[in-house]
Amino acid sequence: MPELPEVETAVRDLKRTQPPILGAGFVDVWTDFRKMIKLPKTFEQFKKEIKGKKIQKIWRRGKNILFELSGNKTLLIHQKLTGHLLLGKWEKIAGQWQAAIPGPLAEDPMNRFLHLIFWLDDGRQLALSDLRKFAKVQLGDKEEILKELEELGPEPLEKNFIFQKFKEILSGQKGKIKQVLMDQGVIVGIGNIYSDEILWTAKIHPFRDISKISETELKAIYQAMRKILPRAIELGGESISDFRRISGGRGYFDKERKVYRREGQKCSRCGTIIKRIKLAGRSAHFCPKCQKL
Ligand SMILES: [Zn+2]
C-alpha cells in the first residue's frame, strides 16, 4: 500500500508537472468500476459535478490526496492497497486503454490497470491504475470532505511534531509497537513497509508492547521515523510491488530497504537471517538478533 512517502511523491510529482496541473480543468471522466466512487452516490452525479471544475490546490493528508477545486469542491483520492495516479495520454484500442507515448506508462504492466480516467482541458488525462480496485474516491463540498479527515492523527514530518508530542501521543496507546505506529488515528502515513524499516533502525522488535518501551528507545523510533520517511520521499517511494510515480516510473527506496520483504536474507547490521512473522493478518519483517522484544 502506498504510504506517506509514496503519496507525498505523487502529490509533489503532480505539482511539478509541466504544463502545471494547477489551473487545469476537468472536462470528462470514465470508470469501469463505479463502486470506487463513494461520493456523490451515483457516477452520473459525480460526472456532472466534476465537469468544468478547475484544480486550485493539491495536497496530502495522511495517505489521502486532496484536489481543491473551483466552486468550493474537493476531490479526495485514497489509493488504498494497490492504487496509483498517472498523468499522460491514453487511447482506447480494441477495447483496451493504451498509453499513446512509449515509455513506462506503456511498458510497465503495473500501469495498465486503469479503472478511472479524468480528461483535463490541457489535453492530458489523469488516471488511476489499481490492480486490486480498493481505491476510494470522493467528491463533495470542501467542508464535507475535510470532515472525513477529522479522525486522523498528526503528520509525522510536520515541523512542530517534536519528540515531546510523539511521546505524549504514544504514551496513551496500548498494544504492540508496530500496530500502534500503523494506526492512522495515532499518527498518519506509516504502514507495513515503513513501520518495519523504522523499527529495524531503532532496534526494537515489532511485537514489543508499547508499555515496555523506554524513553531512549522511543526517541530512537522517533529519530528513525524522521530520517527514513524524508529519505524515502527523496527517492520517490518504493516500487517493490505496484506503486509507480505519476510518470509511470519507479521509486528507488527499494534499494535502501533493510528488512521489508527481505526475509531469508542477512541483516545488514549483524548478519542474522531476517524473519517474517504474522501480526494481525499483516507481516512484520525484522532481525531476531538486533531487534529486542
Ligand atoms: Zn541484525
Side-chain angles (χ1 to χ4, degrees):
M1 182 194 263
E3 301 178 27
L4 188 152
E6 289 75 38
V7 181
E8 182 65 24
T9 295
V11 167
R12 289 188 187 186
D13 280 356
L14 279 170
K15 292 207 276 196
R16 217 181 268 144
T17 178
Q18 284 300 330
I21 197 168
L22 294 179
F26 290 95
V27 291
D28 205 359
V29 56
W30 164 90
T31 187
D32 65 351
F33 191 66
R34 291 173 181 220
K35 276 203 304 201
M36 181 185 286
I37 295 154
K38 310 292 179 197
L39 251 187
K41 288 217 167 69
T42 67
F43 181 66
E44 287 65 33
Q45 191 65 22
F46 180 83
K47 195 170 182 168
K48 202 175 130 195
E49 278 183 27
I50 201 141
K51 271 190 184 179
K53 299 292 185 298
K54 289 199 182 301
I55 302 171
Q56 295 178 332
K57 191 178 166 187
I58 305 172
W59 55 290
R60 178 190 60 76
R61 178 74 176 99
K63 299 176 190 171
N64 299 280
I65 301 176
L66 294 128
F67 295 81
E68 286 188 20
L69 310 177
S70 53
N72 193 42
K73 294 285 178 194
T74 294
L75 172 69
L76 178 155
I77 298 178
H78 193 308
Q79 305 174 112
K80 295 275 180 180
L81 220 51
T82 58
H84 59 269
L85 286 173
L86 298 166
L87 193 67
K89 284 182 186 175
W90 290 266
E91 294 159 357
K92 211 165 201 176
I93 299 167
Q96 293 276 3
W97 288 107
Q98 307 257 347
I101 303 156
L105 287 179
E107 287 144 24
D108 189 328
M110 280 304 167
N111 296 327
R112 289 181 197 152
F113 302 94
L114 304 189
H115 295 295
L116 180 68
I117 302 177
F118 297 102
W119 279 258
L120 301 175
D121 57 10
D122 59 17
R124 291 178 295 181
Q125 286 143 272
L126 177 66
L128 182 74
S129 180
D130 189 358
L131 174 67
R132 293 179 63 186
K133 299 197 281 190
F134 284 113
K136 177 180 90 172
V137 178
Q138 293 178 327
L139 174 68
D141 288 343
K142 189 179 171 183
E143 300 73 29
E144 184 185 13
I145 298 297
L146 293 188
K147 233 182 187 148
E148 298 276 325
L149 310 174
E150 271 175 4
E151 307 287 303
L152 295 176
E155 288 286 337
L157 294 183
E158 237 159 52
K159 230 185 189 161
N160 59 8
F161 191 61
I162 54 169
F163 173 63
Q164 204 56 32
K165 283 196 180 165
F166 180 70
K167 190 182 136 188
E168 266 168 42
I169 287 165
L170 265 72
S171 65
Q173 302 301 317
K174 280 188 181 129
K176 296 175 173 65
I177 183 64
K178 180 175 166 84
Q179 273 179 313
V180 173
L181 286 177
M182 285 171 52
D183 184 340
Q184 301 302 297
V186 175
I187 185 168
V188 295
I190 301 170
N192 224 13
I193 308 163
Y194 296 101
S195 57
D196 280 352
E197 296 299 315
I198 289 167
L199 291 171
W200 179 85
T201 304
K203 300 184 183 174
I204 313 285
H205 194 289
F207 282 10
R208 176 96 68 89
D209 198 279
I210 194 150
S211 64
K212 299 201 172 80
I213 293 181
S214 71
E215 175 148 349
T216 313
E217 289 172 323
L218 207 56
K219 194 147 212 174
I221 296 172
Y222 174 82
Q223 283 165 346
M225 176 183 84
R226 298 274 281 200
K227 195 180 92 187
I228 293 167
L229 297 179
R231 177 65 182 150
I233 295 170
E234 218 175 280
L235 295 169
E238 68 73 36
S239 290
I240 186 171
S241 53
D242 43 78
F243 173 75
R244 298 294 182 271
R245 302 182 68 157
I246 293 299
S247 60
R250 304 176 73 99
Y252 292 102
F253 184 74
D254 303 357
K255 294 187 182 106
E256 296 199 5
R257 275 179 302 122
K258 303 295 185 188
V259 278
Y260 179 72
R261 291 212 192 164
R262 286 206 187 278
E263 64 267 33
Q265 299 178 29
K266 281 181 181 170
C267 167
S268 65
R269 202 161 40 203
C270 75
T272 305
I273 299 296
I274 290 159
K275 273 195 168 170
R276 172 172 175 260
I277 38 170
K278 286 269 182 191
L279 171 67
R282 303 251 208 156
S283 307
H285 307 79
F286 67 104
C287 168
K289 194 177 174 201
C290 47
Q291 289 175 260
K292 302 273 182 291
L293 187 65

